[in-house]
Amino acid sequence: MSDQPLLRAQGVRKSFGSVEVLKGIDLEVRQGQVVSLIGASGSGKTTFLRCVNLLEEHDAGDILLDGEPIGYRVENGRRRRLSETRVSAQRARIGMVFQQFNLFPHLTAEENVMLGLTKVLGKGKAEAREIAGHWLGRVGLEARRAHYPYQLSGGQQQRVAIARAVAMEPRLLLFDEVTSALDPELVAEVLGVMQQLAESGMTMLVVSHEMLFVRDVSHHVVFMDGGRVAQAGPPAEVFDRPDSDRLRGFLGRFHGMFGGVRH
């Protein structure tokens, strides 16, 4: 892993009307790292991911990818939104997998993966089809490449969505509670694909309530509470030595899963 952060957030704030959802987030992700965001619903995790991926525009602070501000430039001390062309180019370097699969129902698995390759990256259909086949094979769906979403299970659809994101060769891959819409028996197959990506060196920023997965796969864990980073550190530190009642209470919801937690 590089010593220089691939992603750096400094003092990031975001409000919706009078409600401040992000209250000064500082966070770094280095190349090859898996950083996981944990915390109760409403703590700002998904909003932060959406700011990183330019689906929401943050109100203050900086989010930098490879040292470049995301979504805006500073002129005469003022932030100015980048052109949509430039924003699209930045977004292409950041892949995102959502809670819902967001597959196009009229396209096959292969065509769903090919679409961004041809429309965004400008690759020819033959090359795009080869890349799509490679990544569908990597997520265990080579035999399903001609299937439409309705012919796939939820876990298979989510694996297509992961293949679609990774095929774009993003610098950073974001996962937003990607197992939350799945039946319990399908969760393991999606987490298995994510673990393989982590082991291959993919840089990942993950929002998840799958605590065993977070502990096993992450290099760094960030506990968010009320729009702030309440504790951050290596998994063993966060899970075994929570330094607040809020974190102890949050971990306590997982029924003694972490025997080392001190109360």
Side-chain angles (χ1 to χ4, degrees), residues 7 10-11 17 26 35 38 46 48 51 73 78 115 134 144-145 155 165 172 192 215 244:
L7 178 76
Q10 300 172 306
D26 296 323
V35 174
I38 64 172
T46 292
F48 179 72
C51 287
R73 65 183 184 276
R78 294 185 177 182
L115 189 63
H134 167 76
R144 303 285 197 278
R145 60 193 298 167
L172 174 67
R215 179 164 184 159
S244 69

Side-chain angles (χ1 to χ4, degrees), residues 9-262:
Q10 300 172 306
V12 175
R13 294 180 176 272
K14 174 66 180 178
S15 295
F16 294 103
S18 62
V19 179
E20 190 175 27
V21 179
L22 301 178
K23 303 175 182 178
I25 301 297
D26 296 323
L27 183 149
E28 291 185 353
V29 183
R30 288 176 168 77
Q31 186 168 338
Q33 271 193 326
V34 178
V35 174
S36 293
L37 308 181
I38 64 172
S41 297
S43 59
K45 306 181 303 296
T46 292
T47 297
F48 179 72
L49 284 195
R50 290 176 64 84
C51 287
V52 171
N53 200 37
L54 302 169
L55 296 174
E56 300 284 356
E57 187 170 355
H58 56 290
D59 301 321
D62 297 303
I63 302 176
L64 300 101
L65 184 70
D66 285 321
E68 177 185 358
I70 288 176
Y72 71 92
R73 65 183 184 276
V74 177
E75 290 183 352
N76 300 321
R78 294 185 177 182
R79 297 170 64 208
R80 296 189 181 277
R81 176 81 172 179
L82 294 174
S83 68
E84 286 307 309
T85 299
R86 186 65 191 135
V87 167
S88 295
Q90 289 186 331
R91 189 178 285 131
R93 295 157 59 195
I94 305 170
M96 188 162 181
V97 185
F98 299 86
Q99 297 178 30
Q100 302 299 327
F101 320 126
N102 293 346
L103 299 179
F104 290 102
H106 64 290
L107 300 179
T108 64
E110 179 181 74
E111 290 167 343
N112 266 283
V113 179
M114 289 175 60
L115 189 63
L117 296 169
T118 56
K119 299 297 185 183
V120 178
L121 299 186
K123 295 185 180 295
K125 285 191 175 180
E127 183 183 6
R129 185 170 291 109
E130 182 178 352
I131 294 170
H134 167 76
W135 283 109
L136 287 171
R138 284 285 299 272
V139 301
L141 292 175
E142 171 65 26
R144 303 285 197 278
R145 60 193 298 167
H147 286 54
Y148 290 90
Y150 77 90
Q151 297 172 307
L152 303 172
S153 71
Q156 289 171 337
Q157 290 183 63
Q158 193 61 288
R159 284 150 61 194
V160 172
I162 292 172
R164 176 180 60 185
V166 179
M168 299 290 288
E169 297 186 350
R171 296 280 289 143
L172 174 67
L173 194 53
L174 311 177
F175 291 89
D176 183 21
E177 292 285 13
V178 297
T179 60
S180 65
L182 299 178
D183 293 332
E185 64 269 20
L186 302 177
V187 169
E189 65 185 60
V190 173
L191 294 180
V193 169
M194 293 172 64
Q195 184 160 3
Q196 291 171 16
L197 291 174
E199 291 170 351
S200 73
M202 174 66 68
T203 308
M204 297 161 56
L205 183 58
V206 178
V207 170
S208 180
H209 281 97
E210 301 290 341
M211 291 297 116
L212 287 177
F213 172 81
V214 167
R215 179 164 184 159
D216 289 345
V217 174
S218 304
H219 297 95
H220 196 75
V221 177
V222 177
F223 172 59
M224 291 182 62
D225 182 42
R228 294 184 171 90
V229 174
Q231 185 173 341
E237 178 181 313
V238 172
F239 287 105
D240 296 345
R241 295 184 293 279
D243 63 7
S244 69
D245 289 339
R246 295 285 290 178
L247 179 52
R248 280 188 287 271
F250 174 77
L251 295 176
R253 301 176 188 180
F254 298 93
H255 307 295
M257 189 180 293
F258 308 105
V261 174
R262 297 175 184 172

